[in-house]
């Protein structure tokens, strides 16, 4: 028999603040991403070849030909669907199954638990043992897919330099830098690089890679937020330039 | 500089109990355990508290202070304001014996369920040889002082008593990881981690790491790597293909 304590928690600090901040942050970013996804416009700056990462790669028939760096192999999407719906499942899947985001939304959105030593409101708990949450184990697949998309984003950022250098180029560059750091710092990446080995001494190169990724991995949460926010910043910048609301600050040309 | 501190301590047994208020002297440099001892010496000689080393190394004085799982001997009084009421309760996850003392048998039962270290055949104790880089990861987990604060805070069993049977808790999933990563351990511990020790119940919300007084990165270095090993076996197409092509086990 446990000690009989009626209160849900006896914590006196503001334990509700971090999950609340996480919830609001994720909600705002989700709303922004949904609006931009279904806007279907202002994703390409023809003059400076800026392509927002949210629309990269642009693969369907309705893509602007110049923005479709890898052709338009897909037919026109039906109804209200826009080009990003082809790639967003992979990007979203990578973030949703990420070990950091899992902690974030299990706490903030599902309150399981809302904070440490604060009782959760659910009567039953099966964790990640059954459908749908057992699908969290697919993080590895999404890591492979996101790595591929990252390479495409790197290509876009380099391709944009073909018309000179502007602030947009720097924004795209910082964006791929943060995305690369977030992707590399992933726990699956750390495991694949060397974590799965039993004898580091027999694999010095993989051990070195594992130690480097481990350093990045310690900052996975910060990189998750920084890269997520900066994708939105990058998209907003491209959208503002593409719509003519602001003009790109040019350094060269 | 001493002051009169306000304390609220849970007193009772498995038959029932509640929080009782006390005013007790607090001196500079003291920890919560010192004040609990003063309470015993001056006001409540029958107050039960388990303690031993007073140095954060024996793991005996685990309790909850202002709702947070902590060691009584490693929580300085200076972190509280002088007019703040400090609430001390026993660990919630385990059955209470009396006052601040809980029955932590669950942990020892779970420890016994894990098969012991299995060295290679023909290698006798004293003949073990291994590289430091290979054994480093396991050594981090050996810092554990078995205070069981991680198991206490883990919501899988804290909020769901019924999961105790199927869940070893972060402390013992870390033990599985320690042996799995040990360069000389030859047992295959991955299938049992998922099937017998309840790794799938963990939803990596990291409270075990947050409360660990030894600052062991339980989630990042033990639980997630174990989850990744399970994913290797069950869910990764590339590993599956590699195993087929290179005829690996």
């Amino acid at each position: 028999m446990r000690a009989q304590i009626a209160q849900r928690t006896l914590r006196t600090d503001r334990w509700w603040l971090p999950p609340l901040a996480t919830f609001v942050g994720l909600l705002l970013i989700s709303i922004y991403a949904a609006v931009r996804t279904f806007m279907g416009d202002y994703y390409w700056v023809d003059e400076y070849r800026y392509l927002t990462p949210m629309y990269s790669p642009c693969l369907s028939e309705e893509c602007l030909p110049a923005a479709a760096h890898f052709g338009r192999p897909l037919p026109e999407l039906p109804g209200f669907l826009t080009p990003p719906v082809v790639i967003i499942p992979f990007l979203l899947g990578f973030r949703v199954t990420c070990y950091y985001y899992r902690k974030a939304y299990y706490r903030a959105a599902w309150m399981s638990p809302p904070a440490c030593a604060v009782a959760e409101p659910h009567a039953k708990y099966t964790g990640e043992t059954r459908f749908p949450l057992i699908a969290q184990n697919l993080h590895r697949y999404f890591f492979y897919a996101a790595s591929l998309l990252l390479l495409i984003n790197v290509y876009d950022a380099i391709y944009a330099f073909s018309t000179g250098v502007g602030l947009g180029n720097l924004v795209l560059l910082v964006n791929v830098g943060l995305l690369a750091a977030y992707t590399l710092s992933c726990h699956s990446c750390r495991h694949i690089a060397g974590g799965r080995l039993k004898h580091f001494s027999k694999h010095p190169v993989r051990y070195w890679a594992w130690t480097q990724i481990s350093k990045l991995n310690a900052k996975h949460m910060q990189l998750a937020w920084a890269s997520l926010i900066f994708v939105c910043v990058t998209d907003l910048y491209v959208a503002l330039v593409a719509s003519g609301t602001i003009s790109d600050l040019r350094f060269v040309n | 500089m001493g002051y009169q501190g306000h304390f609220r301590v849970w007193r009772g047994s498995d038959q029932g109990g509640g929080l009782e208020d006390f005013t007790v002297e607090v001196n500079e440099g003291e920890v919560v355990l010192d004040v609990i001892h003063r309470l015993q010496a001056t006001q409540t000689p029958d107050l039960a508290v388990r303690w031993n080393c007073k140095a954060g190394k024996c793991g005996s004085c685990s309790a909850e202070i202002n709702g947070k799982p902590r060691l009584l001997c490693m929580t300085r009084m200076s972190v509280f304001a002088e007019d703040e009421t400090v609430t001390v309760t026993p660990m919630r996850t385990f059955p209470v014996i009396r006052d601040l003392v809980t029955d932590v048998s669950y942990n020892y039962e779970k420890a016994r369920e894990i098969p012991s270290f299995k060295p290679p055949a023909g290698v006798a104790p004293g003949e073990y040889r291994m590289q430091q880089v290979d054994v480093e990861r396991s050594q981090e987990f050996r810092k554990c002082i078995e205070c069981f604060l991680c198991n206490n805070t883990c919501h899988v069993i804290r909020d769901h008593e019924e999961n105790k049977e199927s869940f070893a808790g972060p402390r013992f999933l870390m033990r599985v990881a320690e042996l799995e990563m040990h360069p000389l351990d030859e047992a295959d511990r991955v299938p049992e981690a998922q099937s017998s020790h309840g790794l799938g119940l963990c939803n990596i919300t990291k409270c075990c790491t947050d409360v660990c007084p030894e600052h062991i990165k339980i989630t990042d270095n033990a639980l997630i790597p174990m989850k990744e090993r399970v994913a290797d076996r069950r869910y990764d197409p590339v590993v599956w293909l590699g195993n087929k092509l290179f005829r690996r086990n």
Side-chain angles (χ1 to χ4, degrees), chain A residues 139-215:
Chain A
H139 189 48
R140 192 80 58 84
Y141 290 85
F142 289 118
F143 166 71
Y144 295 139
S147 302
L148 200 64
L149 291 171
L150 171 68
L151 291 178
I152 293 171
N153 287 335
V154 171
Y155 171 83
D156 295 338
I158 295 170
Y159 181 68
F161 279 105
S162 55
T163 60
V165 181
L167 182 59
N169 291 94
L170 301 185
V171 170
L172 288 175
L173 210 56
V174 172
N175 178 55
V176 292
L178 286 170
L179 284 177
Y182 169 64
T183 309
L184 277 174
S185 69
C186 157
H187 290 84
S188 284
C189 177
R190 183 183 183 221
H191 175 77
I192 295 162
R196 66 196 301 270
L197 299 171
K198 191 135 181 156
H199 297 94
F200 281 149
S201 57
K202 291 179 185 165
H203 305 270
V205 175
R206 290 182 71 182
Y207 174 58
W208 179 85
W210 179 82
T211 52
Q212 301 309 311
I213 291 170
S214 295
K215 286 177 199 166

Side-chain angles (χ1 to χ4, degrees), chain A residues 54-128:
Chain A
M54 284 191 187
Y55 281 70
S56 172
C58 208
L59 298 171
S60 52
E61 196 61 42
E62 59 265 70
C63 292
L64 295 168
H69 296 159
F70 301 92
R72 294 184 291 180
L74 301 177
E76 194 166 322
L77 299 169
F80 58 90
L81 298 182
T82 51
V85 299
V86 177
I87 53 161
I88 272 184
F90 300 103
L91 293 175
L92 200 62
F94 184 47
R95 300 252 172 189
V96 166
T97 60
C98 159
Y99 287 98
Y100 164 68
Y101 284 106
R102 272 145 80 177
K103 172 200 159 185
Y105 65 76
Y106 282 143
R107 284 195 188 194
W110 190 240
M111 296 197 285
S112 178
C116 301
V118 178
E120 60 178 61
H122 312 289
K124 258 186 82 73
Y125 174 85
T126 53
E128 298 180 341

Side-chain angles (χ1 to χ4, degrees), chain B:
Chain B
M1 288 279 282
Y3 67 94
Q4 294 296 310
H6 305 288
F7 271 70
R8 189 171 288 163
V9 182
W10 194 89
R11 300 215 57 200
S13 66
D14 60 352
Q15 303 300 312
L19 293 166
E20 289 183 18
D21 287 292
F22 300 96
T23 301
V24 58
E25 185 185 326
V26 178
N27 294 315
E28 194 174 345
E30 287 186 331
V31 293
V32 174
L33 184 59
D34 293 322
V35 182
I36 294 291
H37 280 160
R38 182 164 301 116
L39 208 53
Q40 270 184 333
T42 58
Q43 300 178 48
T44 56
D46 60 341
L47 174 67
V49 57
R50 187 184 281 133
W51 65 281
N52 199 345
C53 76
K54 294 184 80 176
K57 289 295 165 197
C58 73
S60 300
C61 63
S62 303
E64 300 189 8
I65 303 169
N66 282 354
K68 284 186 178 176
R70 309 194 61 148
L71 294 179
L72 294 174
C73 74
M74 296 302 284
T75 307
R76 289 178 172 277
M77 283 305 301
S78 57
V79 301
F80 306 108
E82 291 190 3
D83 59 352
E84 189 175 348
T85 300
V86 180
T87 307
V88 185
T89 53
M91 289 192 282
R92 278 210 200 201
T93 304
F94 310 119
V96 68
I97 297 174
R98 194 183 140 128
D99 300 338
L100 300 177
V101 178
T102 51
D103 175 1
V104 291
S105 312
Y106 159 82
N107 300 287
Y108 298 106
E109 285 158 20
K110 291 297 163 188
R112 278 195 292 274
E113 287 172 11
I114 296 168
S116 56
F117 173 64
K118 188 182 171 199
V123 180
E127 293 175 354
Y128 299 162
R129 297 292 178 270
M130 49 200 134
Q131 301 279 322
Q132 180 58 36
V133 290
D134 293 340
V135 83
E136 248 161 18
R137 277 188 297 179
S138 292
Q139 282 177 335
E140 181 192 4
F141 310 140
R142 300 291 293 185
K143 289 195 299 180
C144 175
I145 58 172
E146 301 217 312
C147 61
F148 306 126
L149 286 176
C150 56
N151 280 3
N152 172 51
T153 201
C154 180
H155 71 116
V156 176
I157 47 178
R158 184 183 177 93
D159 297 338
H160 304 280
E161 180 78 26
E162 70 279 8
N163 285 333
K164 276 188 175 170
E165 197 180 323
S166 51
F167 188 60
R171 195 288 163 247
F172 296 104
L173 287 169
M174 182 173 79
R175 169 70 177 155
V176 175
E178 177 196 328
L179 291 166
E180 170 62 23
M181 293 174 188
H182 194 290
L184 285 183
D185 186 73
E186 293 216 318
D188 181 8
R189 298 174 186 276
V190 175
E192 280 72 30
Q194 189 82 343
S195 60
S196 309
H197 307 305
L199 182 64
L201 284 166
C202 167
N203 72 344
I204 48 156
T205 35
K206 275 199 168 178
C207 289
C208 51
T209 305
D210 287 354
V211 300
C212 180
E214 283 292 313
H215 307 294
I216 302 170
K217 300 276 182 280
I218 303 172
T219 318
D220 285 327
N221 291 346
L223 305 182
I224 293 175
M226 285 310 294
K227 279 186 174 261
E228 285 294 305
R229 280 167 165 77
V230 171
D232 272 351
R233 300 279 182 93
R234 295 194 180 189
Y235 309 104
D236 190 312
V238 177
V239 173
W240 176 83
L241 194 65
N243 288 344
K244 288 282 175 202
L245 290 177
F246 303 111
R247 297 185 177 185
R248 295 184 302 214
N249 286 324

